[in-house]
Amino acid sequence: MSLVPSVISSILIVKPSSLGDIVHTLPAVAAIKAHWPGAHLRWIVNPEWAPLLEGNRHVDEIVLFPRRDFRGVRGMMRIAPWARGLRERVNAGLVLDFQGLLRSALISKLCRGAGGRIIGLSDAREGARHFYDEVVDVSGCTHAVDRYLALLRPLGISPPQGHWWPLPGGTAPMDFSTAERFIVLHPFSRGKGKSLSVAEVAEFCHALAPARVVLVGRTDERVPPLGNVTDLLNRTSLHELIWLVRRASYFVSVDSGPMHIAAAITPLVVSIHTWSDPAKVGPYHPDAWIWKDGALFQMKAPAARQPAAGISALAAFIARRAAEE
């Protein structure tokens, strides 16, 4: 039985990164705030991901985590004074460590108020679980969203019904025209072996012509100019990316944070997986599509696979689906 007090005045969410993981945490945090609407809920987040939480009605205060200041051995020594300064005003009665690392567990310990409780995941690494007052078993959870929702169990909170993804409305990219429909392609990822090749990007865009394709994401790759392509690589903020997602006929992405943003907003998503397991890190929306090993399927019916073969066949499938919407 949990020893979490029935009345909580201050809640601290420790989840500084990464992009996709922050998106995955949103439903759990929304349910926590709905359960304790009068509690002041703070979220510790890296500065680069803070725009995801702007305007979130479930988050009362965004606490920026100066991650770069805490790198290395000397950096670890700076965490304690920073966290103590935060604790003076936070004094959290409930701390939830969704990150599950030594650094996040240390911050949780230092920011917990007198009589407060720290709850974390059973698969936390680097010895983080030894800092927790309560460890939640997530061994039966496959997807990251379900792992985070498991932290609701000791709180006596039921998982939210439907999809609770309070993301910002977004901002239009500068000089971007919405006169025609478009398909967004996010082809590159920092994860090794997850990206499309430049040749595959060109083949995909060519196969969709004359439909407009908007390229987004961060990369050092250079894609040659194509007549039906609007190249916004390295040129969009998070708010602009969200705006494009909300207005795209389809959002096509490799396994990445932007894909998870898209799946939180719309079912019109195709997630491209090379080696990663879509059951664990694929789009959480049951109606989103997955392309892996030359086949297309949805997680709600993984056995009902549709043949797609190469990148041009994938583009043809997306063109048909976009025309039906």
Side-chain angles (χ1 to χ4, degrees):
M1 184 178 67
S2 175
L3 297 178
V4 175
S6 58
V7 178
I8 298 288
S9 61
S10 178
I11 301 170
L12 182 64
I13 305 298
V14 184
K15 188 59 176 172
S17 63
S18 59
L19 176 57
D21 285 342
I22 289 171
V23 174
H24 292 154
T25 310
L26 290 172
V29 172
I32 291 166
K33 181 62 174 178
H35 187 74
W36 284 296
H40 191 86
L41 189 145
R42 297 174 175 88
W43 188 322
I44 295 179
V45 65
N46 288 355
E48 63 268 31
W49 310 133
L52 288 174
L53 305 179
E54 292 175 2
N56 189 322
R57 65 184 184 278
H58 308 298
V59 180
D60 298 299
E61 184 179 344
I62 299 171
V63 180
L64 298 182
F65 178 62
R67 179 174 57 91
R68 294 181 181 179
D69 295 343
F70 300 149
R71 289 176 176 171
V73 176
R74 291 186 178 180
M76 288 292 289
M77 296 176 64
R78 298 190 187 103
I79 291 179
W82 175 82
R84 290 192 189 101
L86 180 61
R87 178 182 177 177
E88 290 179 359
R89 62 187 181 87
V90 171
N91 198 33
L94 176 62
V95 183
L96 295 123
D97 182 10
F98 286 91
Q99 195 75 16
L101 297 174
L102 176 59
R103 183 167 54 190
S104 61
L106 179 59
I107 291 169
S108 299
K109 189 78 170 181
L110 294 170
C111 288
R112 180 186 59 181
R117 305 288 291 175
I118 304 172
I119 301 177
L121 305 168
S122 62
D123 60 357
R125 295 174 287 164
E126 302 175 347
R129 59 184 295 165
H130 298 297
F131 289 79
Y132 303 151
D133 298 303
E134 191 157 358
V135 178
V136 178
D137 182 10
V138 294
S139 57
C141 302
T142 301
H143 199 281
V145 173
D146 295 319
R147 287 175 58 250
Y148 299 146
L149 287 173
L151 282 182
L152 301 179
R153 291 200 301 258
L155 304 177
I157 302 174
S158 300
Q161 298 299 313
H163 294 275
W164 287 23
W165 309 98
L167 289 164
T171 304
M174 185 176 296
D175 301 324
F176 193 88
S177 171
T178 58
E180 59 181 305
R181 301 179 70 193
F182 56 86
I183 293 166
V184 176
L185 174 62
H186 180 265
F188 303 115
S189 171
R190 291 181 300 174
K192 186 176 181 180
K194 291 184 177 182
S195 297
L196 297 179
S197 67
V198 172
E200 286 173 322
V201 173
E203 180 183 350
F204 178 89
C205 296
H206 179 75
L208 279 169
R212 184 185 187 186
V213 180
V214 179
L215 297 181
V216 298
R218 302 292 175 186
T219 183
D220 294 327
E221 300 284 358
R222 295 181 64 86
V223 177
L226 294 169
N228 66 319
V229 172
T230 300
D231 189 346
L232 294 183
L233 291 170
N234 303 312
R235 293 171 52 198
T236 57
S237 65
L238 278 176
H239 282 294
E240 290 168 338
L241 173 67
I242 291 171
W243 187 93
L244 290 167
V245 168
R246 293 189 184 280
R247 287 157 180 82
S249 300
Y250 245 88
F251 191 94
V252 185
S253 175
V254 295
D255 176 12
S256 63
M259 179 273 289
H260 294 297
I261 289 178
I265 293 174
T266 174
L268 305 178
V269 175
V270 174
S271 179
I272 298 172
H273 291 261
T274 52
W275 56 266
S276 60
D277 184 353
K280 296 180 179 179
V281 294
Y284 195 69
H285 200 298
D287 293 323
W289 287 89
I290 294 159
W291 187 54
K292 184 175 173 65
D293 298 330
L296 280 157
F297 60 95
Q298 296 170 304
M299 288 309 301
K300 66 180 181 181
R305 294 173 178 259
Q306 298 190 20
I311 198 77
S312 293
L314 173 63
F317 169 83
I318 292 167
R320 291 194 302 271
R321 298 288 301 183
E324 294 169 358
E325 297 297 330

